[in-house]
C-alpha cells in the first residue's frame, strides 16, 4: 500500500468525505477501494465515487457510509491505496511518491548508509531529498534512474549515485 492522504471532515449530509491529498487521485489511481488503518488493522472500503474538490482535496463517497454521522468516524484517518492501483507501475518502485520518503534511511551504492531523509523538497523542477549526512545537509535529486530499491517495510531507499555527487 501507499499513502495518498488523509480524510479531513464530512462534506454535506450524504456521507461524502474530504480527502486531503497532493496525488491526482482522479487520474492516477485505478482502484475500486481504498484502505484505512483502524485500530492498527488495514481495512478496505469500496468507493462509490470520487470527484475533485480543489487543488489539494477530493470528495470521496464510500459504500455503506450514507450520512454525516457515519462519515465522521473516518475524520483524521490516513488513506492508502494498493500499489497495483497506480498507473504505469511495473517495477519495485511502484506507487512511490517522493514526499513519503521522509524518515527513510538512504543508502548509496559504493558509499554505504548516508543517513535519514529529513525533508523532501518538491518545489523545484527536480525533487530534492534533504539528508542528514555526517552532521551536514546533503541534497540528492530523487531521479528515478538513480533509485535502485525501495524497502517500504524497513523504510530504506537504495540509490546508485553518479560519481562526484557526494563531493558537492
Amino acid at each position: 500500500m501507499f499513502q495518498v492522504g488523509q480524510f479531513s471532515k464530512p462534506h454535506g449530509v450524504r456521507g461524502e468525505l474530504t480527502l486531503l491529498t497532493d496525488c491526482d487521485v482522479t487520474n492516477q489511481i485505478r482502484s475500486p477501494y481504498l484502505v484505512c488503518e483502524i485500530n492498527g488493522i488495514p481495512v478496505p472500503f469500496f468507493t462509490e465515487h470520487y470527484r475533485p474538490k480543489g487543488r489539494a482535496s477530493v470528495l470521496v463517497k464510500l459504500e455503506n457510509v450514507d450520512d454525516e454521522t457515519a462519515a465522521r468516524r473516518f475524520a483524521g484517518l490516513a488513506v492508502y491505496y494498493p500499489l497495483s492501483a497506480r498507473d504505469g507501475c511495473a517495477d519495485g518502485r511502484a506507487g512511490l511518491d517522493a514526499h513519503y520518503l521522509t524518515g527513510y534511511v538512504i543508502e548509496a551504492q559504493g558509499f554505504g548508509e548516508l543517513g535519514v531523509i529529513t525533508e523532501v523538497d518538491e518545489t523545484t523542477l527536480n525533487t530534492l531529498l534533504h539528508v542528514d549526512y555526517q552532521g551536514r545537509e546533503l541534497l540528492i535529486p530523487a531521479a528515478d534512474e538513480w533509485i535502485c530499491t525501495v524497502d517500504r517495510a524497513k523504510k530504506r531507499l537504495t540509490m546508485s549515485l553518479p560519481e562526484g555527487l557526494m563531493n558537492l
Side-chain angles (χ1 to χ4, degrees):
M1 294 187 305
F2 65 102
Q3 186 176 359
V4 294
Q6 181 176 356
F7 280 130
S8 166
K9 60 181 182 171
H11 178 81
V13 294
R14 295 202 171 117
E16 280 188 314
L17 290 149
T18 301
L19 170 61
L20 302 176
T21 181
D22 58 1
C23 294
D24 186 0
V25 174
T26 56
N27 290 322
Q28 293 179 343
I29 307 299
R30 302 285 181 244
S31 177
Y33 68 94
L34 55 80
V35 177
C36 292
E37 191 172 310
I38 299 176
N39 297 327
I41 300 170
V43 180
F45 294 93
F46 285 92
T47 56
E48 286 183 15
H49 66 267
Y50 45 87
R51 58 190 168 101
K53 181 181 176 186
R55 184 177 158 93
S57 61
V58 176
L59 295 178
V60 178
K61 174 65 174 75
L62 301 176
E63 284 185 5
N64 301 319
V65 177
D66 298 319
D67 58 39
E68 183 181 3
T69 303
R72 196 172 290 124
R73 294 180 302 150
F74 292 88
L77 293 180
V79 177
Y80 302 87
Y81 277 100
L83 290 176
S84 61
R86 184 82 185 222
D87 279 352
C89 295
D91 61 16
R93 297 186 307 266
L96 178 67
D97 283 318
H99 63 279
Y100 295 113
L101 292 174
T102 301
Y104 275 56
V105 172
I106 188 167
E107 181 179 328
Q109 293 178 339
F111 292 99
E113 190 173 294
L114 300 180
V116 175
I117 299 170
T118 58
E119 181 182 348
V120 177
D121 181 0
E122 296 182 283
T123 62
T124 62
L125 185 58
N126 296 315
T127 300
L128 296 172
L129 306 174
H130 294 246
V131 179
D132 181 11
Y133 175 67
Q134 298 177 351
R136 68 180 176 106
E137 184 176 59
L138 184 64
L139 299 177
I140 300 174
D144 283 340
E145 60 271 15
W146 296 353
I147 297 175
C148 300
T149 61
V150 178
D151 187 333
R152 289 171 180 83
K154 294 180 182 175
K155 294 189 83 170
R156 283 188 88 74
L157 173 70
T158 305
M159 297 182 80
S160 176
L161 301 177
E163 194 173 320
L165 182 70
M166 295 295 295
N167 298 327
L168 296 177

